């Protein structure tokens, strides 16, 4: 899905004054069927989607200037599923529901169904979360460049995933984390199944919130309680206490988390074992020889 179309539609549908304060929320929903929680019970995806839609509508309900973007992250691709790049749906009021809420629900479910149907049946446990965050940052940057002068944009990204850590995306994670920090974009993470040390580092770097929910049945309650308040309001609320951040790095040779390793002095690549040549920048290191042992001086007999 092209971001140019998304940006043009968003700018046409929103008339901002120079004094508006816009809160942009980008939700990245991990829909990879290779996740353990989806392999055990495929119906869990329906529950997660319904909870995310209710959370998204709650964000739009807080303020009329609030904006929403929803992305679906899969094993081989990441796509924008709201707003719609095609012709907008003709939505009318149903059972007294606000038309915008109906539009959000129908657009997300329709585009998500298309995306899942187009994916291959081969299961892959790894999701392209780093690429999805990168696309979200590009979209936020485009909105930041095209907003009216004097209009303030508060942007944040919420990642909802049940996948495990992927050390193969370590460098991509670090790049998007520090890019988000430079753009003042807060990254929040809601872990559904496993503890995610790399995404926890991203939350700490960008001053976001990380939460591994204890029960999947209470997903909506945790989303509304923890992630619905905007970052400036969070210090005034009673939120879950922060946990110790695991700042271990992944080695570049085996893509495994290491406690102690060897670091290239030129490109700062990390290796779990010593190598005379850096496989990243091809720098040749001098192999240290054995330490010279000083000979003891013999005492002269008088």
């Amino acid at each position: 899905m092209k971001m140019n179309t998304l940006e043009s539609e968003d700018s046409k549908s929103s008339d901002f004054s120079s004094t508006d304060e816009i809160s942009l929320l980008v939700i990245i929903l991990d829909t990879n069927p290779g996740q353990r929680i989806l392999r055990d019970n495929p119906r869990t995806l329906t529950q997660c989607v319904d909870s995310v839609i209710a959370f998204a509508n709650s964000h739009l309900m807080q303020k009329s200037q609030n904006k929403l973007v929803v992305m679906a992250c899969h094993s081989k691709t990441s796509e924008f599923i709201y707003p719609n790049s095609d012709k907008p749906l003709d939505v009318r009021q149903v059972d007294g529901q606000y038309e915008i809420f109906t539009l959000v629900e129908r657009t997300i479910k329709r585009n998500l169904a298309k995306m899942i149907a187009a994916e291959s049946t081969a299961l892959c446990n790894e999701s392209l979360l780093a690429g999805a965050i990168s696309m979200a940052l590009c979209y936020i940057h485009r909105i930041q460049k095209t907003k009216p002068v004097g209009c303030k944009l508060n942007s944040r990204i919420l990642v909802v995933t049940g996948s495990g850590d992927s050390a193969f995306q370590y460098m991509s994670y670090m790049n998007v984390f520090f890019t988000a920090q430079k753009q003042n974009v807060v990254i929040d993470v809601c872990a559904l199944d496993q503890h995610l040390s790399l995404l926890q580092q991203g939350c700490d770097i960008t001053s976001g919130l990380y939460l591994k929910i204890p029960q999947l049945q209470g997903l909506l309650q945790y989303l509304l309680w923890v992630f619905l308040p905007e970052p400036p309001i969070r210090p005034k609320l009673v939120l879950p206490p922060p946990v110790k951040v695991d700042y271990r790095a992944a080695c570049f040779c085996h893509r495994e988390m290491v406690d102690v390793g060897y670091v290239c002095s030129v490109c700062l690549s990390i290796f779990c074992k010593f190598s005379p040549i850096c496989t990243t920048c091809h720098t040749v290191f001098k192999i240290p020889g054995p330490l010279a042992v000083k000979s003891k001086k013999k005492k002269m007999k008088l």
Side-chain angles (χ1 to χ4, degrees):
M1 185 176 292
K2 296 182 179 180
M3 284 189 294
N4 291 332
T5 310
L6 286 172
E7 186 274 330
S8 59
E9 287 192 359
D10 190 72
S11 60
K12 289 179 182 179
S13 61
S14 56
D15 298 323
F16 301 123
S17 66
S18 59
T19 58
D20 280 334
E21 184 174 349
I22 312 169
S23 178
L24 174 60
L25 171 63
V26 181
I27 303 176
I28 300 177
L29 177 61
D30 190 353
T31 58
N32 182 10
Q35 303 175 75
R36 185 174 61 183
I37 57 174
L38 297 185
R39 292 198 311 265
D40 297 342
N41 185 10
R43 295 183 179 179
T44 304
L45 179 60
T46 303
Q47 177 187 350
C48 294
V49 172
D50 291 339
S51 299
V52 168
I53 291 175
F55 170 76
N57 289 335
S58 299
H59 168 74
L60 295 175
M61 192 189 306
Q62 285 187 312
K63 191 189 299 183
S64 60
Q65 289 85 3
N66 286 0
K67 296 300 170 184
L68 173 69
V69 176
V70 182
M71 298 179 60
C73 177
H74 233 60
S75 59
K76 296 182 180 179
T77 183
S78 298
E79 295 183 4
F80 291 90
I81 57 177
Y82 181 86
N84 197 2
S85 62
D86 302 329
K87 184 179 179 180
L89 297 177
D90 185 13
V91 178
R92 298 180 180 178
Q93 192 177 35
V94 180
D95 296 334
Q97 186 180 24
Y98 185 36
E99 292 86 348
I100 298 297
F101 297 166
T102 306
L103 177 63
V104 171
E105 180 179 0
R106 292 187 178 180
T107 303
I108 290 176
K109 290 185 176 180
R110 189 186 70 168
N111 292 334
L112 184 58
K114 288 182 179 180
M115 180 179 177
I116 295 177
E119 282 290 322
S120 61
T121 56
L123 295 181
C124 179
N125 297 335
E126 184 176 348
S127 301
L128 300 179
L129 290 174
I133 298 175
S134 178
M135 292 176 62
L137 290 175
C138 292
Y139 179 84
I140 292 173
H141 179 70
R142 184 180 294 273
I143 297 298
Q144 185 73 35
K145 297 284 286 186
T146 57
K147 68 178 179 61
V149 178
C151 182
K152 185 178 180 181
L153 179 65
N154 298 322
S155 306
R156 56 191 175 111
I157 300 174
L158 172 62
V159 180
V160 182
T161 177
S163 299
D165 262 333
S166 176
F168 286 93
Q169 303 182 50
Y170 175 76
M171 285 302 300
S172 301
Y173 274 131
M174 292 300 111
N175 288 334
V176 297
F177 292 160
F178 287 107
T179 301
Q181 183 190 44
K182 187 175 181 179
Q183 294 184 1
N184 295 322
V185 177
V186 176
I187 297 180
D188 299 327
V189 175
C190 179
L192 305 179
D193 184 32
Q194 307 176 47
H195 177 68
L196 308 172
S197 59
L198 291 180
L199 289 176
Q200 188 182 18
Q201 295 179 27
C203 295
D204 188 62
I205 292 172
T206 60
S207 301
L209 289 176
Y210 171 86
L211 176 66
K212 181 186 177 301
I213 61 173
Q215 294 181 354
L216 187 60
Q217 291 76 10
L219 174 59
L220 179 57
Q221 286 79 0
Y222 286 108
L223 290 176
L224 296 176
W225 169 38
V226 179
F227 299 107
L228 184 59
E230 297 185 11
I233 307 176
R234 292 174 180 176
K236 303 178 182 179
L237 303 177
V238 180
L239 298 175
V243 296
K244 184 179 180 181
V245 182
D246 183 8
Y247 264 107
R248 289 186 302 167
C251 66
F252 284 43
C253 46
H254 301 92
R255 305 296 182 182
E256 295 180 355
M257 306 298 288
V258 294
D259 296 316
V260 179
Y262 297 88
V263 181
C264 174
S265 58
V266 178
C267 66
L268 302 180
S269 298
I270 303 170
F271 303 96
C272 58
K273 296 181 180 179
F274 175 77
S275 175
I277 301 176
C278 177
T279 57
T280 304
C281 64
H282 305 290
T283 300
V284 180
F285 303 108
K286 293 182 179 180
I287 301 177
L291 296 176
V293 180
K294 294 182 179 180
S295 59
K296 296 182 180 180
K297 293 182 178 180
K298 296 182 180 180
K299 294 182 179 181
M300 296 181 64
K301 295 182 180 180
L302 296 177

